[in-house]
């Protein structure tokens, strides 16, 4: 394999030229790698988004249908009499039917309401006063607003606030299914310390509607809310600390007897994320779809998916454009290089060297260049990829914001968006404002793929240029 | 060993052949000089002998096998070694590597034998430190000696040289011709040299002059 030795001697002897080739190749490979990295990051982000949000189904009142009905009735009335939105609470019997479907794991029943503090003082912070938090809807229907938000759940661990670690139990325990039909409550740390309450203590609240009965609650746990979970606070709550978790049965009792065995919404965990749509389909067959909806909380997934799809196609274009342009550039360089080396080729031919071995020598030289260029590109491509990725996600974030303002506006435009006595499911609709972030990492697989691309580019450019070698007549070079 | 049979050659652009019906015989252990005016076709003839081009008429045989039969690439690799006026060496290598490379490509019996290559270079007056520096940092005469050393290192029985002393001074010319004589007489190879200089030609065992499309043997003076 004398041609390998010759290639080595040549690359070493002509250091300046080799360096130039290395830099050009590294620049080309860097952009190919950046494209590859962004593409794989986009794929990863899409998959992650799918895993994050795709695996739950939510059974709730069909707002759209109810809203339509309300508009119809309001248009027939002349005066500005406040139209009434009637949302039918979800029946638990429907939920248990859906829960029996295959691929459905645990499910969480949520029923929310608000009460007024009686035996304790609510937490009020200056920051929360003005804007009344991010309370959805921000409407107060006079009869049903209290200063304490009650989130009735099947189990706190099943709520998104707790499962995504935004809220954490710090003392005692969370609400579980064993708390059904009890007066057990989990209160926020701030509220507990302000009123000197601890696990085992009791507190009393006053219902906001109907008989305005007093209800006695027993503290079984204390949790810490992160400030960002304020979105789940009721409209009147001035602070997320005024949110308590109970079993959904208690929330239903507070709401009134007609709410027994109902819920604001039920969230099902689908054990096989790939089965979500089929479960959704069979679940829909079990419910009255004019009153209820069974929805995938995949708005953010869809958003991530579509923005990542464009990122991915953009990355693909980068890869191919750069690869093609790189091949052309390198081929031109190699053609020039071979012209300059025709005497060397002539000497080789006069010694009786096979033409393919001469081509092989040039290819070997390029592969040696490639190896060094790969190392440089590996380091540089991450940088370029990060820059490009940041640029791309910035654009993505802008689109995300636009879509969110749109959907937000819609919510606000629904007067009485909260069911009578209820205040939007806690965490059932936590907007997972998950930003589609591109995690740019250079893996061995990426480098291998890049190496493949580099090899293909080198091979093609040598092949394009080797026509000259294969046609070269030694006599022409050496004698004329 | 090498014979030309009714050999003829002409360039497409010319309306006359450079030479035709050439019948010559070259033997191992002998050196031959080819003289002639500029443009008579000496280099062209040599390129046919060296297997760099194909004759337009007649044929060349090596030990009664035509070059066509042997194949030009195989012929160049195994049977002939070439020395030109310029462009002889791999410019990116040392003299030593030039020899080692040529031996490897031609699959010579001493391929890979560094000591053998060093010995040949030393015999031709290339010093130890000159052997390992880049050939471009050697004088023209030294480079030509490296090219001659290369033909000695390889097994080819036929050595052809086109004006190998063209750009050398008297001393170097004498040294180079002496080496060619050694190659012919000591290594028992066949050496064919094209030259302008009658002095150089006179040192060879046989002389031909290319004139009027024919090679005329000159009686040794
Ligand atoms: N490729 C070519 N096409 C056409 N004519 C050519 C070609 N190469 C050489 N010739 C012509 O053929 C003739 C012989 O050329 P050649 O190089 O063999 O001469 P030479 O005897 O070696 O001359 P010199 O002593 O100057 O080296 C010249 O007239 C030259 O112009
Ligand atoms: Mg000539």
């Amino acid at each position: 394999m004398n041609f390998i030795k010759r290639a080595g001697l040549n690359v070493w002897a002509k250091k300046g030229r080799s360096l130039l080739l290395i830099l050009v190749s590294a620049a080309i490979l860097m952009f190919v790698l950046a494209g590859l990295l962004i593409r794989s990051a986009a794929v990863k982000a899409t998959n992650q988004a799918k895993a994050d949000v795709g695996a739950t189904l939510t059974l709730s009142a069909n707002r759209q249908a109810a809203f339509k009905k309300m508009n119809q009735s309001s248009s027939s009335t002349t005066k500005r009499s406040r139209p009434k939105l009637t949302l039918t609470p979800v029946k638990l019997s429907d939920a248990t039917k859906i829960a029996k479907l295959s691929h459905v794991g645990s499910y969480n029943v949520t029923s929310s309401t608000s009460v007024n503090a009686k035996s304790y003082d609510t937490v009020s912070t200056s920051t929360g006063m003005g804007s009344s938090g991010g309370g959805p809807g921000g409407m107060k229907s006079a009869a049903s607003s209290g200063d304490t938000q009650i989130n009735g759940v099947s189990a706190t661990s099943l709520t998104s606030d707790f499962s995504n670690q935004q809220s954490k139990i710090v003392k005692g325990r969370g609400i579980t299914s064993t708390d059904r039909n009890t007066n057990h409550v989990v209160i926020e740390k701030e509220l507990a310390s302000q009123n000197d309450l601890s696990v085992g203590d009791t507190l009393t609240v006053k219902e906001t509607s109907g008989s305005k009965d007093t209800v006695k609650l027993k503290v079984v746990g204390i949790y810490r809310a992160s400030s960002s979970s304020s979105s789940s606070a009721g409209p009147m709550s001035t602070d997320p600390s005024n949110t308590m978790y109970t079993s959904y049965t208690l929330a239903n009792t507070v709401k009134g007897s007609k709410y027994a065995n109902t819920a604001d919404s039920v969230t099902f965990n689908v054990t096989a994320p790939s089965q979500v749509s089929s479960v959704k389909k069979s679940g829909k067959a079990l419910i009255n779809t004019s009153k209820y909806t069974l929805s995938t909380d995949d708005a953010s997934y869809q958003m991530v998916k579509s923005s990542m799809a464009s990122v991915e196609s953009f990355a693909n274009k980068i890869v191919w454009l750069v690869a093609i342009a790189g091949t052309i550039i390198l081929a031109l360089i190699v053609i020039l290089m071979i012209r300059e080396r025709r005497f060397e080729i002539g000497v080789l031919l006069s010694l009786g060297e096979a033409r393919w071995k001469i081509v092989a020598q040039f290819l070997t030289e390029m592969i040696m260049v490639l190896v060094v260029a790969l190392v440089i590109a590996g380091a540089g491509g991450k940088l370029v990829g990060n820059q490009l990725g940041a640029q791309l996600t910035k654009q993505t974030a802008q689109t995300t914001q636009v879509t969110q303002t749109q959907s937000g506006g819609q919510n606000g435009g629904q007067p009485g968006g909260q069911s009578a006595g209820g205040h939007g499911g806690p965490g059932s609709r936590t907007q997972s404002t998950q930003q589609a972030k591109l995690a740019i990492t250079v893996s061995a697989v990426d480098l291998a793929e890049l190496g493949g691309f580099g090899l293909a580019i080198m091979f093609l450019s040598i092949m394009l240029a080797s026509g000259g070698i294969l046609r070269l007549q030694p006599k022409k070079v050496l004698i004329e | 060993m090498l014979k030309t049979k009714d050999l003829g050659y002409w360039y497409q652009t010319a309306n006359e052949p450079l030479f035709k019906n050439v019948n010559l015989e070259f033997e191992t252990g002998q050196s031959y000089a080819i003289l002639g005016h500029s443009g008579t076709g000496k280099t062209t003839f040599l390129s046919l002998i060296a297997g760099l081009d194909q004759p337009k008429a007649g044929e060349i045989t090596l030990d009664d096998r035509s070059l066509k039969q042997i194949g030009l690439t195989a012929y160049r690799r195994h049977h002939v070694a070439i020395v030109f006026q310029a462009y002889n060496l791999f410019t990116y290598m040392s003299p030593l590597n030039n020899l080692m490379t040529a031996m490897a490509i031609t699959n010579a019996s001493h391929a890979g034998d560094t000591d053998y290559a060093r010995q040949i270079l030393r015999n031709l007056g290339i010093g130890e430190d000159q052997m390992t520096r880049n050939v471009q940092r050697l004088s023209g005469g030294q480079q030509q000696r490296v090219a001659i050393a290369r033909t000695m290192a390889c097994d080819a029985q036929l050595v052809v040289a086109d004006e190998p002393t063209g750009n050398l001074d008297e001393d170097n010319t004498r040294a180079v011709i002496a080496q060619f004589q050694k190659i012919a007489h000591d290594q028992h190879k066949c050496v064919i040299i094209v030259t302008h200089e009658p002095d150089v030609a006179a040192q060879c065992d046989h002389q031909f002059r290319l004139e009027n499309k024919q090679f005329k043997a000159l009686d040794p003076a």
Side-chain angles (χ1 to χ4, degrees), chain A residues 155-178:
Chain A
T156 42
S157 60
L158 292 172
T159 67
S160 57
D161 270 355
F162 279 90
S163 66
N164 65 24
Q165 308 278 305
Q166 276 187 323
S167 297
K168 263 182 198 152
I169 297 291
V170 289
K171 260 196 200 113
R173 59 174 180 85
I175 297 294
T176 66
S177 57
T178 58

Side-chain angles (χ1 to χ4, degrees), chain A residues 191-377:
Chain A
L191 187 80
S193 63
Q194 184 178 306
N195 292 287
D196 207 15
L197 289 166
S198 57
V199 175
D201 292 348
T202 54
L203 52 89
T204 53
V205 297
K206 214 166 92 190
E207 288 177 9
T208 53
S209 60
S211 52
K212 306 216 172 182
D213 287 341
T214 301
V215 181
K216 206 176 182 188
L217 300 172
K218 186 180 176 209
V219 178
V220 292
I222 293 172
Y223 77 97
R224 197 191 61 220
S226 81
S227 50
S228 62
S229 64
S230 62
S231 65
S232 60
M236 279 307 286
S237 311
T238 51
D239 193 282
S241 300
N242 296 326
T243 299
M244 298 178 177
Y245 286 90
T246 66
S247 170
Y248 66 90
T249 54
L250 187 105
N252 284 345
T253 312
V254 171
K255 279 184 191 173
S257 56
K258 68 171 178 168
Y259 284 93
N261 292 319
T262 67
D264 293 343
S265 68
V266 181
T267 307
F268 302 91
N269 281 323
V270 180
T271 47
S274 57
Q275 298 298 319
V276 169
S277 53
S278 80
V279 171
K280 184 175 166 183
K281 209 170 150 200
S282 34
K284 269 190 168 167
L286 299 171
I287 57 169
N288 178 351
T289 48
S290 66
K291 281 184 178 173
Y292 309 113
T293 59
L294 188 61
S295 60
T296 328
D297 185 16
D298 66 350
S300 61
Y301 165 63
Q302 292 300 344
M303 217 144 57
V304 169
K305 190 178 158 186
S306 69
S307 63
M308 283 302 135
S310 67
V311 168
E312 200 182 326
S313 82
F314 177 72
N316 265 331
K317 275 179 205 137
I318 292 183
V319 170
W320 285 108
L321 274 178
V322 173
I324 292 167
T327 306
I328 293 170
I329 292 169
L330 276 178
L332 285 176
I333 292 177
V334 173
I335 287 170
L336 288 177
M337 200 174 83
I338 286 173
R339 273 169 168 253
E340 170 199 309
R341 293 173 68 176
R342 49 206 296 271
F343 294 118
E344 174 194 343
I345 298 168
V347 175
L348 284 168
L349 288 173
S350 77
L351 283 169
E353 181 66 314
R355 285 169 197 267
W356 74 262
K357 283 190 185 168
I358 300 174
V359 176
Q361 178 189 341
F362 288 120
L363 191 61
T364 310
E365 288 174 17
M366 290 305 266
I367 290 171
M368 289 171 178
V369 163
L370 177 71
V371 171
V372 185
L374 262 180
V375 175
I376 298 173

Side-chain angles (χ1 to χ4, degrees), chain A residues 414-438:
Chain A
Q414 289 178 16
Q418 269 55 59
S419 61
H423 295 273
S428 64
R429 283 263 166 196
T430 348
Q431 279 155 320
S432 23
T433 327
Q434 236 178 5
Q435 254 210 7
K437 240 197 204 154
L438 287 176

Side-chain angles (χ1 to χ4, degrees), chain A residues 479, chain B residues 37-44 46 85 162-163 194 196:
Chain A
I479 294 170
Chain B
H37 291 296
S38 182
T40 46
K42 302 184 296 293
T43 300
T44 306
L46 210 61
Q85 190 173 344
D162 193 2
E163 300 186 33
V194 164
H196 271 121

